[in-house]
Amino acid sequence: MTDIIRSSGKNKIETAKETLVLLLKSLRKGCFFNIYGFGDTFESLFQTSVEYNQVSMDLALKKIKKCNADLGGTKILEPLQDIFSKSLEKDYTRQVFLLTDGEVSNTAQIIEEVKKHASTHRFFTLGIGEGASTSLIKGVATASYGKYDFITGKARMQAKVLRCLKLSFQRSATNISLHWKLPGGVEAVVCPKAPEVIFHQERTVVYAQLKGLESNHMEEKAEATLRYFCGTMEYQQALEFSLKPAETDSFSIHFMAAKLLIKNGLDGMEECSTQESIDQIVKISIESNVISHYTAYIAVYKDGKEPLQRPMTRQDIPLIDSQTFHLRKGTPFGCIGGCILALISFSCCQHSSGHSGHSSPSSSIQENESLFDSKENQLMVLIGLQKADGSWNMDNALAKIFISTESKLKSSIPVKGVDPTLWATLLSLIWLHAHGKNVKDDWELLASKAVSWLKSKSAGIDLKEWIEAGNDFLKTEVEPGQLGI
């Protein structure tokens, strides 16, 4: 679901389109998906989510290709409500990707609406540039137990979005809670509170302050138990510890905990700033000796025996003009004039564990010779040729990427009489690993889908020998292990 208003730059629009193509190509067999376009109004590609296959993918790619910045402003709530109104397939959850570089006027209302549907909809939100609404990006993701990220500076939109897609395919720990066994009168104050979800290969850190400890507690033991669910299975881990403080001069953990308390206090003040919350931040800052927005360090001169009589003076420190700096570097300076929003809604079966194309015909490639000016353009053309099941057809368009011809591709097949699609798919995978390793995050999921397809269709074929033959043909050096074979 995409909204790119007219004031957005051409490069940003093309990057958003490329990102949507990569998302579609990386979906797995068995998913259901839909695409919305929205601004002052909204429209959807399909009436309801459709199964991901060659026909539906081709329709979506044609829609993306024709996408123009012509829907006006930024109204997110209405299309979200339409998404929420659509019924879900049995045993499926819905993942929604939201990309924005702007703000909306009804952030609280949007977050509240997302909370109502958090049990069936999970959001992955990405803020583009410095102007993205932090409260919207964080709030929507947190309310739905999803993930948020920000794309700033030279960070690539494609890589960030595809990382979120990887997370959406993985199992996660949910319903996380901490339980304490402590002596009477002792209380554990946790900061931040236990997260609602932790994704695979991610970690989270929480700090606990034990209040009410007395000298008679020092010889006692306490226990903290972590409980969580992974799918329908419940797990728990217990940690026993002594209440006697460790003998150390290091207070690093205390400093980090204080810094987090201050940060959480400041984040909370984005919605409502009160004198009480400011006083609390100042109190934590002074007690922990960790600086905050409302405190400052003061230098004390101890060598002299007499107090300094002169008044404090302000010292202005000149800052580098950012515009001049960027221009000197030869990079255009400026911000996105409007808002880029891309919202992809797709459903993924909870029980699916396997990985599961043809975006532009050969004629369109022949009309755009400039596509072959660089490896990056060749990479996107190659990705565009992949089919929904993960395979590649053997044709002139593919041969051109390999600087060859279709007849030479066919004559190079190691075993005669087999489906040429097998050879075309293997060569495509080898080419990706040889020439696209710098942007592996962009194509890792679709390559995994291709490997799964290849393994399912290559019974009786020694793929390692084929990889060696493929390296000879493409003049590359890719090992079978790199392909996952």
Side-chain angles (χ1 to χ4, degrees), residues 207-273:
Y207 300 91
Q209 181 182 12
L210 299 181
K211 292 189 174 182
L213 279 175
E214 302 291 345
S215 57
N216 60 308
H217 294 142
M218 294 300 101
E219 302 304 321
E220 296 188 48
K221 298 286 186 180
E223 186 178 89
T225 302
L226 172 67
R227 294 177 184 167
Y228 59 95
F229 282 82
C230 189
T232 58
M233 296 291 293
E234 182 179 9
Y235 299 87
Q236 68 176 39
Q237 292 175 310
L239 173 67
E240 187 180 72
F241 58 94
S242 171
L243 292 175
K244 184 178 181 180
E247 295 181 2
T248 177
D249 294 329
S250 173
F251 293 95
S252 299
I253 293 178
H254 302 74
F255 293 149
M256 289 189 291
K259 184 177 181 180
L260 185 61
L261 282 167
I262 292 170
K263 181 181 181 298
N264 285 354
L266 291 171
D267 289 345
M269 289 170 62
E270 287 185 6
E271 301 294 333
C272 180
S273 177

Side-chain angles (χ1 to χ4, degrees), residues 2 4-5 7-19 99 101 128-130 151-158 334-342:
T2 308
I4 312 173
I5 67 173
S7 57
S8 296
K10 180 181 178 181
N11 289 341
K12 288 294 182 182
I13 295 172
E14 294 305 314
T15 299
K17 285 184 179 181
E18 184 177 303
T19 303
L99 292 84
D101 75 342
I128 305 171
E130 304 297 336
I151 304 168
T152 57
K154 296 182 179 180
R156 299 182 71 254
M157 183 191 302
Q158 300 92 323
C335 61
I336 303 170
C339 176
I340 294 180
L341 294 127

Side-chain angles (χ1 to χ4, degrees), residues 346-363:
F346 74 93
S347 302
C348 182
C349 181
Q350 291 176 323
H351 302 144
S352 175
S353 59
H355 289 283
S356 30
H358 198 299
S359 66
S360 55
S362 302
S363 59

Side-chain angles (χ1 to χ4, degrees), residues 94-130:
R94 185 170 286 156
Q95 322 273 5
V96 184
F97 290 79
L98 171 64
L99 292 84
T100 176
D101 75 342
E103 297 191 19
V104 294
S105 59
N106 56 344
T107 298
Q109 188 179 1
I110 292 172
I111 293 173
E112 196 59 38
E113 189 71 18
V114 169
K115 281 182 180 178
K116 294 177 185 177
H117 300 87
S119 61
T120 53
H121 295 71
R122 182 166 60 173
F123 281 76
F124 294 85
T125 58
L126 293 104
I128 305 171
E130 304 297 336

Side-chain angles (χ1 to χ4, degrees), residues 20-35 46 48-61 92 165 169 346-348 355-359 383 386-391 445-446 449:
L20 294 180
V21 170
L22 289 170
L23 268 174
L24 281 169
K25 293 288 183 175
S26 300
L27 294 183
R28 295 176 179 176
K29 186 179 179 180
C31 287
F32 286 74
F33 77 100
N34 202 355
I35 297 179
F46 306 108
T48 186
S49 294
V50 298
E51 187 172 0
Y52 178 70
N53 54 38
Q54 191 64 42
V55 174
S56 60
M57 187 190 73
D58 284 343
L59 284 172
L61 291 171
Y92 281 70
L165 183 61
F169 285 151
F346 74 93
S347 302
C348 182
H355 289 283
S356 30
H358 198 299
S359 66
I383 290 172
Q386 189 188 34
K387 298 195 294 183
D389 62 6
S391 66
L445 284 175
L446 63 90
K449 184 167 64 171

Side-chain angles (χ1 to χ4, degrees), residues 175-427:
N175 296 326
I176 301 165
S177 59
L178 276 172
H179 303 268
W180 302 85
K181 288 183 180 179
L182 300 168
V186 179
E187 176 190 8
V189 180
V190 177
C191 178
K193 67 177 184 179
E196 296 288 346
V197 61
I198 299 177
F199 292 103
H200 179 60
Q201 292 187 336
E202 286 198 327
R203 69 174 184 176
T204 189
V205 178
V206 296
Y207 300 91
Q209 181 182 12
L210 299 181
K211 292 189 174 182
L213 279 175
E214 302 291 345
S215 57
N216 60 308
H217 294 142
M218 294 300 101
E219 302 304 321
E220 296 188 48
K221 298 286 186 180
E223 186 178 89
T225 302
L226 172 67
R227 294 177 184 167
Y228 59 95
F229 282 82
C230 189
T232 58
M233 296 291 293
E234 182 179 9
Y235 299 87
Q236 68 176 39
Q237 292 175 310
L239 173 67
E240 187 180 72
F241 58 94
S242 171
L243 292 175
K244 184 178 181 180
E247 295 181 2
T248 177
D249 294 329
S250 173
F251 293 95
S252 299
I253 293 178
H254 302 74
F255 293 149
M256 289 189 291
K259 184 177 181 180
L260 185 61
L261 282 167
I262 292 170
K263 181 181 181 298
N264 285 354
L266 291 171
D267 289 345
M269 289 170 62
E270 287 185 6
E271 301 294 333
C272 180
S273 177
T274 64
Q275 187 58 46
E276 183 181 355
S277 57
I278 293 174
D279 292 343
Q280 180 63 20
I281 289 174
V282 171
K283 181 175 181 292
I284 296 171
S285 179
I286 293 174
E287 289 180 351
S288 63
N289 204 29
V290 175
I291 198 168
S292 73
H293 283 45
Y294 304 102
T295 54
Y297 289 117
I298 298 177
V300 178
Y301 181 63
K302 294 183 177 181
D303 292 342
K305 298 185 182 290
E306 298 294 329
L308 296 176
Q309 299 299 321
R310 62 177 181 269
M312 289 189 295
T313 59
R314 171 174 171 154
Q315 180 68 47
D316 291 323
I317 301 174
L319 300 176
I320 296 174
D321 180 72
S322 57
Q323 184 168 356
T324 303
F325 177 78
H326 279 271
L327 289 174
R328 195 183 307 137
K329 287 289 186 180
T331 306
F333 176 81
C335 61
I336 303 170
C339 176
I340 294 180
L341 294 127
L343 189 55
I344 293 278
S345 171
F346 74 93
S347 302
C348 182
C349 181
Q350 291 176 323
H351 302 144
S352 175
S353 59
H355 289 283
S356 30
H358 198 299
S359 66
S360 55
S362 302
S363 59
S364 66
I365 294 176
Q366 293 168 355
E367 293 169 4
N368 295 278
E369 296 295 334
S370 62
L371 289 175
F372 295 94
D373 290 345
S374 68
K375 290 294 183 188
E376 183 177 355
N377 287 332
Q378 289 179 15
L379 177 71
M380 282 308 300
V381 175
L382 180 63
I383 290 172
L385 293 173
Q386 189 188 34
K387 298 195 294 183
D389 62 6
S391 66
W392 274 268
N393 281 333
M394 183 174 289
D395 55 25
N396 280 323
L398 185 67
K400 191 168 185 178
I401 296 173
F402 301 151
I403 316 177
S404 185
T405 63
E406 184 177 352
S407 59
K408 288 183 178 179
L409 284 185
K410 289 181 177 178
S411 63
S412 67
I413 299 175
V415 179
K416 305 306 177 184
V418 301
D419 183 358
T421 306
L422 288 167
W423 183 233
T425 300
L426 183 62
L427 288 177

